[in-house]
Amino acid sequence: MDYVSYWTAYASASLRIFRFYTREVACFSHIHPDLPSGVLQETLKESISKRGIATTTLDARFGRDFNSKYRQLVPTLRQELKGKLTWSFKSILIASFFVRFLWFSAILKFGFWGSMGTGLWQFAVAPLSLVVCFMRFCTNGLDCVFHYIINTFVVLALNHAPFQVPSLSFILDFKFAVGFFLFDFLLNCIIYSTSSEPFGSKRFLKHVVYGTLNTKTYFLIVFASLSGLQVDLTTVVLTGIINYYLAKSGGRARILRSLGLPSFPVLFYCEHRLGHCPGVYPHAHKQHHYLHDTTAFDAHIYGSGMNEEYFWLLAEIVPCLLAPSRTLFPYFLNLETLYNSWTNKGGHTRSSGSAAAAVGNYDEDNFHADHHTQHNSNFGSADFPLIDFYFGSQAKNCVKVDDVMYELTREGDDVNVVMAKVAAGKGD
């Protein structure tokens, strides 16, 4: 094999995907000036809440251009990587698990800093997972930045408080890890038993085993790297409360807007759709779709394949190790992140018709569950599926999400949108 041409081809393909991602994300204002900032989403939701209906007009030209460029990207990547995709998806999957467990073993023996090179073997096994990891981190990375900034200010405030703050703490050790995994498993079982359509026992067991392996090796790396870290419970609670208030009050959104940064739905749609791009898909995100359909066991903090996590693992570990006196705690323990993890379990559950009021049912219309059976549709967030309807990438027969009916009429360069609230269970 000509290794120079091999790596040159993958580098060129990664750069092409990166350019597509950055250029298209930057142009979503062409659809509607208030779409990237999240203001359009807020306005439409407020209108539905008050009047039961919302309308807007979007520019169709960007959607046609985006879809055209995406269709051109697929054969271009195939041609660029022709003869280079030497491994099947299952070979990549097995090798990726081997690298992950090898990294875990290396951390136990040499510590995190002495084993970082081991984790990098992922990109030798699945070269295109590098650009996918980058996009995955960009989608929610600023949430992580906010977490550590707030965490730092809370620590400083507690250290300089004019009174003694009670200190309660726990240690990230083997006992904590076991308890964490058992509690997570219990939550998955509860959501499956109360919300999910029943799977056959053999099929369900596959999701339990594979889903656990795909999502929980992430925490094996984090726990092994941060073993012995003492976490102050007061700091965790105060950081979580401030973070929650900043998010719910709109403060975080206003900060992002002031920086000119796009909102989550825009970033997620682009990242997710590119993650499904043929040629790119087997290297990373397909690990999240290996089994047909989905259960709570297949959910991660946000829902990702194992090979999409490298930069997120660094974000969980490196700040905590570099912080003076180990004063920071990992992002996954932020109260908002734990809540997102909980809702994502319900979001990765195929809701049964009778489960509308069930515990953990966060996707009653199965918008994301259908993505796990059709794979090439419903790329966006169920919280703002209008982006999928605009691009025409919604699932077949999908007209209602979260009890809101979507009707789009295309007239020349205009897309006229009507969103109407309907009674739960109606409009299916």
Side-chain angles (χ1 to χ4, degrees), residues 160-197:
H160 293 86
F163 51 86
Q164 185 66 36
V165 180
S167 179
L168 295 172
S169 62
F170 57 91
I171 297 174
L172 298 187
D173 57 10
F174 179 76
K175 289 182 180 179
F176 181 88
V178 171
F180 178 88
F181 287 133
L182 288 176
F183 186 65
D184 182 87
F185 187 87
L186 177 62
L187 292 179
N188 289 337
C189 290
I190 291 172
I191 290 178
Y192 175 78
S193 62
T194 59
S195 301
S196 179
E197 285 188 2

Coordinates of all heavy atoms in Angstrom, one line a residue, residues 160-197:
H160 N -13.2 32.4 49.1 CA -13.1 33.8 49.7 C -14.4 34.2 50.4 O -14.6 35.4 50.7 CB -12.8 34.8 48.6 CG -11.4 34.6 48.0 ND1 -11.2 33.7 46.9 CD2 -10.2 35.1 48.3 CE1 -9.9 33.8 46.6 NE2 -9.3 34.6 47.4
A161 N -15.2 33.2 50.7 CA -16.5 33.5 51.4 C -16.1 34.0 52.9 O -15.2 33.4 53.5 CB -17.4 32.3 51.5
P162 N -16.9 35.0 53.4 CA -16.6 35.5 54.8 C -17.0 34.5 55.9 O -16.9 34.8 57.0 CB -17.3 36.8 54.8 CG -18.4 36.6 53.8 CD -17.9 35.7 52.7
F163 N -17.6 33.4 55.5 CA -18.1 32.4 56.5 C -17.6 31.0 56.0 O -17.3 30.8 54.9 CB -19.6 32.5 56.6 CG -20.3 32.4 55.3 CD1 -20.6 31.2 54.7 CD2 -20.6 33.6 54.6 CE1 -21.2 31.1 53.5 CE2 -21.3 33.5 53.3 CZ -21.6 32.3 52.8
Q164 N -17.7 30.1 56.9 CA -17.2 28.7 56.7 C -18.3 28.0 55.9 O -19.5 27.9 56.4 CB -16.9 28.0 58.0 CG -16.3 26.6 57.8 CD -15.0 26.6 57.1 OE1 -14.1 27.5 57.3 NE2 -14.7 25.6 56.3
V165 N -18.0 27.5 54.8 CA -19.0 26.7 54.0 C -18.8 25.2 54.3 O -17.7 24.7 54.2 CB -18.8 26.9 52.5 CG1 -19.8 26.1 51.7 CG2 -18.9 28.4 52.1
P166 N -19.9 24.5 54.7 CA -19.9 23.1 55.0 C -19.3 22.3 53.8 O -19.7 22.6 52.6 CB -21.3 22.7 55.2 CG -22.0 24.0 55.6 CD -21.3 25.1 54.8
S167 N -18.4 21.5 54.1 CA -17.7 20.7 53.0 C -18.2 19.3 53.0 O -17.9 18.5 54.0 CB -16.2 20.8 53.2 OG -15.5 20.0 52.2
L168 N -18.9 18.9 51.9 CA -19.3 17.5 51.7 C -18.7 17.1 50.4 O -18.8 17.8 49.4 CB -20.8 17.4 51.7 CG -21.5 17.7 53.0 CD1 -23.0 17.7 52.7 CD2 -21.2 16.7 54.0
S169 N -18.0 16.0 50.3 CA -17.4 15.6 49.1 C -17.5 14.1 48.8 O -17.9 13.3 49.7 CB -15.9 16.0 49.1 OG -15.2 15.3 50.2
F170 N -17.2 13.7 47.6 CA -17.1 12.3 47.2 C -15.9 12.1 46.3 O -15.4 13.1 45.8 CB -18.4 11.8 46.6 CG -18.8 12.6 45.3 CD1 -18.4 12.2 44.1 CD2 -19.6 13.7 45.4 CE1 -18.7 12.9 42.9 CE2 -20.0 14.4 44.3 CZ -19.6 14.0 43.0
I171 N -15.5 10.9 46.2 CA -14.3 10.6 45.4 C -14.7 9.8 44.2 O -15.4 8.8 44.3 CB -13.2 9.9 46.3 CG1 -12.8 10.8 47.5 CG2 -12.0 9.5 45.5 CD1 -11.9 10.1 48.4
L172 N -14.1 10.2 43.1 CA -14.3 9.3 41.9 C -13.4 8.1 42.0 O -12.2 8.2 41.6 CB -14.0 10.2 40.6 CG -14.8 11.4 40.3 CD1 -14.5 12.0 39.0 CD2 -16.3 11.0 40.4
D173 N -13.9 7.1 42.5 CA -13.1 5.8 42.6 C -13.9 4.6 42.1 O -15.0 4.8 41.5 CB -12.7 5.6 44.1 CG -13.9 5.6 45.0 OD1 -15.1 5.5 44.5 OD2 -13.8 5.6 46.3
F174 N -13.4 3.5 42.4 CA -14.0 2.3 41.8 C -15.5 2.1 42.3 O -16.4 1.8 41.6 CB -13.2 1.0 42.2 CG -13.8 -0.3 41.8 CD1 -13.7 -0.7 40.4 CD2 -14.5 -1.1 42.7 CE1 -14.3 -1.9 40.0 CE2 -15.0 -2.3 42.2 CZ -14.9 -2.7 40.9
K175 N -15.7 2.4 43.6 CA -17.0 2.3 44.2 C -18.0 3.2 43.5 O -19.2 2.9 43.2 CB -17.0 2.5 45.7 CG -16.3 1.4 46.5 CD -16.4 1.7 48.0 CE -15.7 0.6 48.8 NZ -15.7 0.9 50.2
F176 N -17.5 4.5 43.3 CA -18.4 5.5 42.7 C -18.7 5.0 41.3 O -19.9 5.2 40.8 CB -17.7 6.9 42.7 CG -18.6 7.9 42.0 CD1 -19.5 8.7 42.8 CD2 -18.5 8.2 40.7 CE1 -20.3 9.6 42.2 CE2 -19.3 9.2 40.1 CZ -20.2 9.9 40.9
A177 N -17.8 4.6 40.5 CA -18.0 4.1 39.2 C -19.0 3.0 39.1 O -19.9 3.0 38.3 CB -16.6 3.7 38.5
V178 N -18.9 2.0 40.0 CA -19.8 0.9 40.0 C -21.2 1.4 40.3 O -22.2 1.0 39.6 CB -19.4 -0.2 41.0 CG1 -20.5 -1.2 41.2 CG2 -18.1 -0.8 40.6
G179 N -21.3 2.3 41.3 CA -22.6 2.8 41.6 C -23.2 3.6 40.5 O -24.4 3.6 40.2
F180 N -22.4 4.4 39.8 CA -22.8 5.2 38.7 C -23.4 4.3 37.6 O -24.5 4.5 37.0 CB -21.7 6.0 38.1 CG -22.0 6.9 36.9 CD1 -22.5 8.1 37.1 CD2 -21.8 6.4 35.6 CE1 -22.8 8.9 36.0 CE2 -22.1 7.1 34.5 CZ -22.6 8.4 34.7
F181 N -22.6 3.2 37.2 CA -23.1 2.3 36.2 C -24.4 1.6 36.5 O -25.3 1.4 35.7 CB -22.0 1.3 35.8 CG -20.8 1.9 35.1 CD1 -19.5 1.7 35.5 CD2 -21.0 2.8 34.0 CE1 -18.4 2.2 34.8 CE2 -20.0 3.3 33.3 CZ -18.7 3.1 33.7
L182 N -24.5 1.2 37.8 CA -25.7 0.4 38.2 C -26.9 1.3 38.2 O -28.0 0.9 37.8 CB -25.5 -0.1 39.6 CG -24.5 -1.3 39.7 CD1 -24.3 -1.7 41.2 CD2 -25.0 -2.5 38.9
F183 N -26.7 2.6 38.7 CA -27.8 3.5 38.7 C -28.3 3.9 37.3 O -29.5 3.9 37.0 CB -27.4 4.8 39.4 CG -28.6 5.8 39.6 CD1 -29.7 5.4 40.4 CD2 -28.5 7.0 39.0 CE1 -30.7 6.3 40.6 CE2 -29.6 7.9 39.2 CZ -30.7 7.6 40.0
D184 N -27.3 4.0 36.4 CA -27.6 4.3 35.0 C -28.4 3.1 34.4 O -29.3 3.3 33.6 CB -26.3 4.6 34.2 CG -26.6 4.9 32.8 OD1 -26.8 6.1 32.4 OD2 -26.5 4.0 31.9
F185 N -27.9 1.9 34.7 CA -28.6 0.7 34.1 C -30.0 0.7 34.6 O -31.0 0.3 33.9 CB -27.8 -0.5 34.6 CG -28.3 -1.8 34.0 CD1 -27.8 -2.2 32.7 CD2 -29.3 -2.6 34.6 CE1 -28.3 -3.4 32.2 CE2 -29.7 -3.7 34.1 CZ -29.2 -4.2 32.8
L186 N -30.2 1.0 35.9 CA -31.6 1.0 36.5 C -32.5 2.0 35.8 O -33.7 1.7 35.5 CB -31.5 1.3 38.0 CG -32.9 1.4 38.7 CD1 -33.6 0.1 38.7 CD2 -32.6 1.8 40.2
L187 N -32.0 3.2 35.5 CA -32.8 4.2 34.8 C -33.2 3.7 33.4 O -34.3 4.0 33.0 CB -32.0 5.5 34.7 CG -31.7 6.3 36.0 CD1 -30.9 7.5 35.8 CD2 -33.0 6.7 36.7
N188 N -32.2 3.1 32.7 CA -32.5 2.6 31.4 C -33.6 1.6 31.5 O -34.5 1.5 30.6 CB -31.3 2.0 30.8 CG -30.2 3.0 30.4 OD1 -30.5 4.1 30.2 ND2 -29.0 2.6 30.3
C189 N -33.6 0.7 32.5 CA -34.6 -0.3 32.6 C -36.0 0.3 32.9 O -37.0 -0.2 32.4 CB -34.2 -1.3 33.7 SG -32.8 -2.4 33.4
I190 N -36.0 1.3 33.7 CA -37.3 2.0 34.1 C -37.9 2.6 32.8 O -39.1 2.5 32.6 CB -37.0 3.0 35.2 CG1 -36.7 2.4 36.5 CG2 -38.2 3.9 35.3 CD1 -36.2 3.3 37.6
I191 N -37.1 3.3 32.1 CA -37.6 4.0 30.9 C -38.1 3.0 29.9 O -39.1 3.1 29.2 CB -36.5 4.9 30.3 CG1 -36.3 6.1 31.2 CG2 -37.0 5.4 28.9 CD1 -35.3 7.1 30.7
Y192 N -37.3 1.9 29.7 CA -37.8 0.9 28.7 C -39.1 0.2 29.2 O -40.0 0.0 28.4 CB -36.7 -0.2 28.6 CG -37.2 -1.4 27.7 CD1 -37.2 -1.3 26.3 CD2 -37.7 -2.6 28.3 CE1 -37.6 -2.3 25.5 CE2 -38.1 -3.6 27.5 CZ -38.1 -3.5 26.1 OH -38.5 -4.5 25.3
S193 N -39.2 -0.1 30.5 CA -40.4 -0.8 31.0 C -41.6 0.1 31.0 O -42.8 -0.4 30.9 CB -40.1 -1.3 32.4 OG -39.9 -0.3 33.3
T194 N -41.5 1.4 31.1 CA -42.6 2.3 31.2 C -43.0 3.0 29.9 O -44.1 3.4 29.7 CB -42.4 3.4 32.3 OG1 -41.2 4.2 31.9 CG2 -42.2 2.8 33.7
S195 N -42.0 3.2 29.0 CA -42.2 4.1 27.9 C -42.1 3.4 26.5 O -42.7 3.9 25.5 CB -41.2 5.3 27.9 OG -41.4 6.0 29.0
S196 N -41.3 2.4 26.4 CA -40.9 1.8 25.1 C -41.9 0.8 24.6 O -42.5 0.1 25.4 CB -39.5 1.1 25.3 OG -39.1 0.6 24.0
E197 N -42.0 0.8 23.3 CA -42.6 -0.3 22.6 C -41.8 -1.6 23.0 O -40.6 -1.6 23.1 CB -42.6 -0.2 21.1 CG -43.6 0.8 20.6 CD -43.7 0.8 19.1 OE1 -43.0 0.0 18.4 OE2 -44.5 1.6 18.5

